[in-house]
């Protein structure tokens, strides 16, 4: 068995594709994902903030001060006339929508006839803002910056007329105030936010790291014609299977180790070198023991993946067919992680014994710092039982001639 493992593992390390999936992908994927995501988000936000917005105001005569404020901000706004040829299409909501959809305008501001500074007499004014709010455009926020100035002025004028002091003004605006006292510490808040997504990436990377060697050790042997040579050797078939299984598991475990190490390493680099606030905060809360537990929980998970992948590879007629089977397995892995992210699903009761979902929940709890360490018994037990059962099935599968040579 160990002779087979040694032979297969040496061949595994000579394969460039395997090295990419086992080492380079998990080592570089996390910084690439976060780096590219932050880059595009910051660029999109900056572009939306600095873009000159084309606008039109209907009912200008009712609010000349607001019109003047938009005109003075010529570096941010550009007024477009919608009279003349566009009058027929710009007199109703459909006309405004048409102008915005064909990008003639970014927004239309409709001021009512009743608009005036004396809000005690006229009551609340409702200014209609027509815009396409489907994407990241910040139109509403940029328009509100100008409108809010006049809202505050009119409000202050009304309070002055009523003779209200500052505390009375505040009480009138908000008669009842709810002060939220969050008993969750910062680690629990950050853990809830990011802890649910990390198992998704970790599971996929571990699965990807084991896919290539599994496909090669089963279907690849068939294509190369070397499987028959192994079968006629005096070694018991279960030892052949276990040797291959441990090779695939080693590939997955190495990927898991590198993945967890990459998380810790890049977290430290970002927190120390780039001083990103939330990374500094999270990394200062999570201890080395938590990362070790995450890695240890991944070991039986990787064994489950290895047994399933090797069974599929043994069943497949070719390397390509094995890859197609394994590709569909990703959806099976994603589903338990999605369950773990659903509201109300916690690492309690029966969920402690649900494979994969319990590991995903445990990872989130470790990041939150609310882990019930007694639950580790159920997590390791259930996952190990599933892994042993799948290994036994894989051995049974390998002993069937109609599966090997179908």
């Amino acid at each position: 068995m160990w002779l087979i493992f040694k032979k297969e593992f040496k061949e595994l390390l000579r394969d460039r594709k395997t090295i990419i999936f086992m080492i380079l992908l998990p080592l570089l994927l996390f910084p690439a994902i976060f780096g590219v995501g932050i880059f595009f988000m910051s660029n999109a936000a900056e572009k939306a903030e600095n873009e000159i917005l084309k606008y039109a105001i209907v009912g200008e005569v009712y609010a000349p001060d607001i019109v003047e404020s938009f005109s003075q901000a010529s570096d941010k706004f550009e007024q477009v006339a919608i009279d003349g040829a566009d009058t027929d299409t710009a007199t109703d909501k459909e006309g405004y929508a048409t102008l915005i959809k064909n990008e003639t305008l970014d927004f239309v501001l409709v001021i009512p006839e009743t608009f005036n500074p004396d809000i005690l007499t006229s009551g609340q004014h409702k200014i209609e803002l027509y815009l396409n709010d489907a994407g990241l455009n910040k139109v509403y926020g940029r328009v509100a910056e100008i409108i809010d100035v006049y809202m505050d002025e009119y409000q202050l004028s009304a309070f002055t007329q009523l003779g209200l002091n500052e505390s009375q003004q505040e009480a009138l605006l908000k008669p009842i105030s709810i002060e939220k006292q969050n008993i969750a510490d910062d680690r629990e808040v950050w853990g809830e936010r990011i802890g649910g997504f990390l198992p998704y990436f970790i599971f996929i990377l571990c699965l990807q790291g084991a896919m290539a060697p599994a496909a090669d050790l089963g279907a690849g042997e068939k294509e190369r014609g070397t499987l028959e040579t192994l079968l006629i050797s005096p070694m018991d078939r279960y030892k052949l299977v276990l040797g291959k299984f441990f090779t695939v598991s080693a590939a997955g475990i190495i990927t898991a180790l590198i993945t967890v190490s990459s998380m810790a390493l890049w977290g430290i680099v970002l927190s120390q070198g780039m001083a990103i606030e939330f990374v500094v905060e999270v990394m200062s809360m999570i201890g080395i023991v938590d990362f070790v537990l995450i890695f240890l929980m991944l070991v039986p998970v990787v064994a489950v993946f290895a047994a399933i992948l090797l069974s599929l590879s043994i069943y497949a007629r070719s390397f390509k067919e094995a890859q197609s089977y394994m590709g569909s397995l990703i959806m099976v892995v994603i589903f338990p992680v999605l369950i773990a992210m659903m509201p109300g699903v916690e690492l309690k009761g029966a969920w402690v014994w649900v494979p994969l979902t319990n590991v995903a929940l445990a990872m989130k709890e470790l990041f939150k710092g609310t882990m019930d360490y007694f639950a580790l018994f159920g997590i390791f037990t259930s996952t190990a039982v599933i892994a042993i059962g799948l290994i036994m099935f894989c051995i049974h599968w390998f002993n069937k001639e109609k599966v090997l040579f179908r």
Side-chain angles (χ1 to χ4, degrees):
M1 179 179 70
W2 296 114
L3 183 64
I4 294 293
F5 169 75
K6 184 178 179 181
K7 165 188 169 295
E8 300 289 7
F9 195 74
K10 281 184 178 179
E11 293 180 358
L12 193 66
L13 295 177
R14 296 191 188 106
D15 187 5
R16 291 182 179 179
K17 182 169 60 177
T18 302
I19 297 299
I20 291 174
F21 281 111
M22 285 175 53
I23 301 175
L24 296 181
L25 189 61
L27 192 62
L28 301 177
L29 186 63
F30 279 102
I33 290 175
F34 287 113
V36 171
I38 292 172
F39 173 78
F40 281 108
M41 287 177 63
S42 60
N43 277 3
E46 184 179 356
K47 181 181 178 181
E49 189 67 40
N50 297 326
E51 182 182 5
I52 297 178
L53 300 178
K54 294 176 288 186
Y55 72 97
I57 298 180
V58 178
E60 294 184 28
V61 295
Y62 307 122
D65 293 339
I66 292 178
V67 175
E68 181 63 24
S69 295
F70 277 101
S71 299
Q72 291 177 355
S74 57
D75 58 331
K76 298 180 179 180
F77 301 95
E78 177 187 350
Q79 188 170 10
V80 176
I82 57 174
D83 55 357
D86 295 328
T87 300
D88 294 337
T89 61
T91 54
D92 54 18
K93 296 179 180 180
E94 293 182 1
Y96 304 149
T98 301
L99 291 170
I100 293 171
K101 286 180 179 179
N102 63 25
E103 298 184 358
T104 301
L105 297 171
D106 290 303
F107 67 90
V108 176
L109 207 63
V110 180
I111 301 173
E113 297 180 4
T114 57
F115 190 90
N116 66 76
D118 188 5
I119 59 173
L120 292 178
T121 302
S122 59
Q124 185 185 55
H125 301 304
K126 292 184 179 180
I127 297 178
E128 294 181 332
L129 175 63
Y130 293 87
L131 74 161
N132 185 345
D133 205 24
L136 179 65
N137 48 45
K138 294 193 174 183
V139 172
Y140 180 86
R142 293 173 62 180
V143 173
E145 286 180 6
I146 292 179
I147 302 298
D148 286 349
V149 173
Y150 293 94
M151 183 178 69
D152 294 339
E153 287 182 3
Y154 295 170
Q155 191 178 84
L156 182 60
S157 175
F159 287 150
T160 302
Q161 292 180 47
L162 294 173
L164 301 178
N165 59 37
E166 187 174 343
S167 62
Q168 290 173 326
Q169 294 174 21
E170 186 176 355
L172 185 61
L173 290 173
K174 198 170 185 180
I176 299 176
S177 175
I178 300 176
E179 293 187 0
K180 184 172 65 173
Q181 303 294 336
N182 189 2
I183 61 171
D185 57 22
D186 292 338
R187 175 176 179 177
E188 190 171 348
V189 173
W190 283 116
E192 184 66 33
R193 292 176 181 176
I194 66 175
F197 294 98
L198 288 177
Y200 174 85
F201 295 107
I202 293 174
F203 283 9
I204 295 299
L205 286 173
C206 292
L207 185 64
Q208 289 282 358
M211 272 187 183
D216 184 68
L217 295 179
E221 293 269 19
K222 291 183 181 181
E223 285 192 344
R224 292 191 298 270
T226 56
L227 182 60
E228 290 83 353
T229 306
L230 283 175
L231 294 175
I232 62 175
S233 65
M235 189 177 296
D236 295 330
R237 287 199 180 184
Y238 80 90
K239 293 183 179 180
L240 293 175
V241 177
L242 290 178
K244 292 178 178 294
F245 166 78
F246 284 125
T247 303
V248 178
S249 296
I253 289 172
I254 290 172
T255 304
L257 178 60
I258 294 175
T259 300
V260 176
S261 301
S262 176
M263 289 168 51
L265 175 64
W266 285 106
I268 293 171
V269 170
L270 289 173
S271 63
Q272 299 298 326
M274 301 178 65
I276 299 177
E277 184 179 353
F278 83 93
V279 178
V280 174
E281 192 171 354
V282 172
M283 290 306 299
S284 63
M285 299 171 184
I286 301 173
I288 188 66
V289 175
D290 298 318
F291 282 106
V292 171
L293 286 174
I294 290 173
F295 169 72
L296 291 177
M297 284 190 295
L298 287 175
V299 173
V301 171
V302 168
V304 170
F305 292 163
I308 296 174
L309 291 171
L310 190 57
S311 298
L312 292 174
S313 182
I314 292 170
Y315 179 77
R317 294 187 181 93
S318 64
F319 190 88
K320 186 176 181 180
E321 183 180 340
Q323 286 183 317
S324 66
Y325 291 151
M326 295 174 183
S328 60
L329 190 62
I330 293 177
M331 294 304 299
V332 179
V333 173
I334 292 175
F335 185 69
V337 180
L338 293 178
I339 293 177
M341 290 192 291
M342 291 181 179
V345 179
E346 299 179 353
L347 192 63
K348 297 178 182 177
W351 290 113
V352 174
W353 301 89
V354 179
L356 297 185
T357 300
N358 54 9
V359 176
L361 288 170
M363 288 184 185
K364 183 167 69 172
E365 295 298 322
L366 284 170
F367 272 90
K368 290 169 61 177
T370 56
M371 181 67 189
D372 179 9
Y373 293 97
F374 290 104
L376 291 174
F377 173 78
I379 294 170
F380 280 107
T381 302
S382 61
T383 312
V385 167
I386 296 294
I388 292 171
L390 289 170
I391 293 169
M392 293 177 66
F393 173 78
C394 190
I395 294 172
H396 171 73
W397 211 232
F398 199 79
N399 278 285
K400 286 185 171 292
E401 300 291 336
K402 63 179 181 180
V403 173
L404 294 176
F405 304 105
R406 67 187 187 93

